[in-house]
Amino acid sequence: MFSTGNTARGFKATAKDECRDSVKYVLERNIVHGDALSLKRVDGKAPIVFSQWSPVNGSMIKRWDFTFPV
């Protein structure tokens, strides 16, 4: 997602690869293709996993994953 195109070119000089990898990881966890009514992923089997992100002591971030009971 961030390895090609205008976004990568625009920030190549100022953003490190580790930063782009971190952004990609967060987006992959937060953008899920699923059914909001059934709270299941597209395959209909697995529940949608929601991630909550919170800052911890300065530069650290903690992630909590949770699902809603179906």
Side-chain angles (χ1 to χ4, degrees):
M1 174 180 231
F2 290 97
S3 60
T4 61
N6 291 330
T7 303
R9 280 192 296 273
F11 295 100
K12 188 70 171 172
T14 58
K16 296 180 181 178
D17 288 337
E18 292 85 5
C19 179
R20 280 190 287 277
D21 291 343
S22 296
V23 170
K24 182 179 176 185
Y25 179 84
V26 168
L27 291 176
E28 287 175 351
R29 297 303 176 276
N30 285 352
I31 299 174
V32 178
H33 190 187
D35 183 345
L37 295 176
S38 70
L39 297 175
K40 298 208 178 208
R41 296 182 67 105
V42 175
D43 63 11
K45 298 175 185 171
I48 296 174
V49 176
F50 296 91
S51 297
Q52 177 181 340
W53 302 84
S54 299
V56 179
N57 68 9
S59 63
M60 302 292 288
I61 296 176
K62 180 161 177 85
R63 182 184 92 214
W64 286 274
D65 291 336
F66 60 95
T67 61
F68 289 107
V70 181

